[in-house]
Amino acid sequence: MHSAIPATERPTKVVTFVVNVTASTELKKPIAKRETKSASFEFRHGEDPWDTLLARMLSRIDRILSPKKIGIEDYEVTFYIPRILPKPGLPLESEEHYRTLSTQIDKIASQNPTVNIIVLQKPAATVTKEVPTNSSTQDEELDAGSLNTSRRNQKKKDTTELPGNIHVSKNIQLLRDVWLCKKPDSACPSTHCYVTASDEHLPLSHEHFNCWAAAMLKGNEHATISKPPNHRLFDAVDARGSISQEKLSPVLQRCLALESKSNPPQASAPVINLTLGSDILGFVHAGMGPQTQMPQHRIEPTNNPLLPATRIPGEDIPIIEFCTRYDLGDTILKKLQENSFRKARSLHFLSIKDLKEMGFVHGEVAELRDAVEQWSTLISN
């Protein structure tokens, strides 16, 4: 009978932690406009203790935010592992939480797993001082003023913690999953579209999703997952389910016009029937002599870009941070690294054909297109 391998003899897993930090000032903005910065480090699981992980994590936070003081109590920290522990994940603020993290890492077969850490900076609160018994009147007045400031700050509540904003975020994700456009880029310029009953497409932007998700909170009479709200953003869709092109934004009108020019409708050619006798055919063959092989020209398919013409590249971050930020998984990351992609900005040179030649399957192509749309920015008028 084989004995179990002692823990000390098991191969040490080298974990890549990607720390995604969002400042408290960014949390006050709409979700689509928030800026999250990332940094990464490697950690030897099973050898390095919780104190080491905490120190490295705080050093990355300090590098990104440069706060006046650094302490884990000033942040809400969670972790998630792609394909193992989905978002929103579990807390990571104490040694007890670290033991839970270790249990999750033990479930991973890979010796080089990736773990995402989400860090949200708490709103700054004024710390009141204890008044010494021998303090002067001036000190007492100063502390009283600080106490009043603290009380005023306590009345303010971060808008991102409100239940309504949390529900809006969930609705946005649900809408993005449902209204993923199934047409190729040559037929539709957007990754997400609202499809009408007459199979017409209305491209959806982040502004569309925010409006739709917020309206769903008001009740089914205002909007549902299948019915958009009565709002100016959706005025292009009439009561019959048709889309009025003149009510679309000028950018989308230009993109659709370019697509129509590149794929013009084929006019039906007249059919002419001609009957020739066998003697005429023999005469023609005799005059032609040996038949020559006409050169065959191969028509290459259209090279659809991964980044549509209506969008511009986003922040130029390392490719490993790009994949972890948008939860693309280790398989997609490995294929990009095998083809020497180091920075996210290089992705806008790729086409769908390139991805297929790199071995990407349909589901991976769809996930990467969705991530690129979230990462990029829609060209404004």
Side-chain angles (χ1 to χ4, degrees):
M1 181 181 295
H2 297 285
S3 59
I5 301 175
T8 54
E9 297 180 9
R10 292 175 183 170
T12 301
K13 292 183 179 180
V14 179
V15 184
T16 299
F17 282 97
V18 180
V19 185
N20 304 287
V21 184
T22 306
S24 58
T25 53
E26 294 294 323
L27 293 174
K28 298 177 182 178
K29 300 178 182 178
I31 296 176
K33 295 184 179 180
R34 292 178 189 172
E35 181 181 1
T36 298
K37 296 184 179 181
S38 304
S40 60
F41 62 89
E42 291 187 348
F43 183 82
R44 299 180 67 83
H45 174 61
E47 295 184 6
D48 296 334
W50 158 245
D51 291 341
T52 302
L53 176 62
L54 178 61
R56 293 183 183 177
M57 187 165 58
L58 292 176
S59 70
R60 268 51 179 190
I61 297 173
D62 182 63
R63 183 187 305 173
I64 293 172
L65 297 181
S66 301
K68 293 182 179 179
K69 66 182 185 70
I70 188 73
I72 193 64
E73 65 277 0
D74 297 325
Y75 305 91
E76 293 181 8
V77 184
T78 57
F79 75 93
Y80 72 94
I81 305 173
R83 307 293 187 271
I84 301 294
L85 179 65
K87 294 180 181 179
L90 296 172
L92 184 59
E93 301 175 5
S94 66
E95 189 165 3
E96 181 181 355
H97 296 156
Y98 174 64
R99 287 194 288 270
T100 303
L101 168 65
S102 299
T103 303
Q104 296 294 329
I105 293 177
D106 289 336
K107 298 177 182 178
I108 306 175
S110 172
Q111 294 300 310
N112 302 100
T114 299
V115 177
N116 289 274
I117 298 178
I118 306 297
V119 179
L120 305 179
Q121 186 182 32
K122 297 177 182 178
T126 304
V127 180
T128 59
K129 300 178 182 178
E130 294 184 2
V131 182
T133 55
N134 59 349
S135 61
S136 64
T137 305
Q138 182 179 2
D139 291 336
E140 291 176 358
E141 292 176 353
L142 177 62
D143 290 341
S146 299
L147 181 59
N148 292 333
T149 303
S150 176
R151 287 173 178 172
R152 287 196 301 270
N153 288 339
Q154 288 175 359
K155 294 180 181 179
K156 298 179 181 179
K157 187 172 183 180
D158 191 359
T159 56
T160 57
E161 297 175 357
L162 297 176
N165 288 345
I166 296 175
H167 291 312
V168 167
S169 301
K170 291 180 179 179
N171 285 345
I172 289 176
Q173 187 59 51
L174 184 60
L175 288 167
R176 293 179 67 88
D177 292 341
V178 170
W179 295 108
L180 184 66
C181 186
K182 298 180 181 179
K183 284 188 176 182
D185 286 345
S186 59
C188 184
S190 179
T191 305
H192 293 85
C193 287
Y194 169 67
V195 184
T196 67
S198 56
D199 199 31
E200 295 190 46
H201 284 225
L202 174 67
L204 298 175
S205 65
H206 292 296
E207 190 177 3
H208 283 90
F209 282 124
N210 284 333
C211 173
W212 195 341
M216 288 171 62
L217 297 181
K218 299 179 181 179
N220 292 342
E221 66 275 14
H222 294 278
T224 65
I225 192 67
S226 58
K227 182 185 73 175
N230 183 15
H231 191 273
R232 60 174 180 80
L233 293 173
F234 298 89
D235 283 349
V237 183
D238 60 25
R240 296 172 299 174
S242 300
I243 295 178
S244 177
Q245 299 293 325
E246 60 271 11
K247 291 186 178 180
L248 295 176
S249 69
V251 174
L252 286 176
Q253 290 184 39
R254 288 195 296 270
C255 292
L256 292 173
L258 291 173
E259 295 295 342
S260 299
K261 289 181 180 179
S262 60
N263 298 282
Q266 300 293 328
S268 57
V271 179
I272 301 176
N273 295 317
L274 182 63
T275 305
L276 298 176
S278 59
D279 52 343
I280 296 180
L281 291 175
F283 174 77
V284 173
H285 284 299
M288 289 180 61
Q291 296 185 6
T292 57
Q293 182 71 25
M294 297 298 292
Q296 300 292 325
H297 297 282
R298 182 183 176 188
I299 301 177
E300 294 290 343
T302 305
N303 242 3
N304 301 324
L306 177 62
L307 183 68
T310 56
R311 310 188 73 84
I312 57 176
E315 180 186 2
D316 191 18
I317 56 178
I319 201 68
I320 184 173
E321 294 181 18
F322 175 84
C323 290
T324 51
R325 180 181 297 184
Y326 299 106
D327 197 18
L328 291 176
D330 295 335
T331 304
I332 293 179
L333 172 62
K334 183 178 180 182
K335 290 179 180 179
L336 291 173
Q337 289 178 328
E338 287 176 349
N339 287 272
S340 301
F341 282 89
R342 297 183 300 106
K343 293 286 187 177
R345 201 168 183 84
S346 303
L347 295 175
H348 84 281
F349 294 107
L350 278 176
S351 66
I352 304 303
K353 179 184 175 184
D354 295 331
L355 293 178
K356 293 180 179 179
E357 291 178 352
M358 290 162 61
F360 282 79
V361 296
H362 293 291
E364 293 170 341
V365 172
E367 288 187 15
L368 189 55
R369 289 179 63 184
D370 183 56
V372 166
E373 184 185 72
Q374 297 181 57
W375 163 72
S376 60
T377 304
L378 185 67
I379 300 175
S380 58
N381 298 334

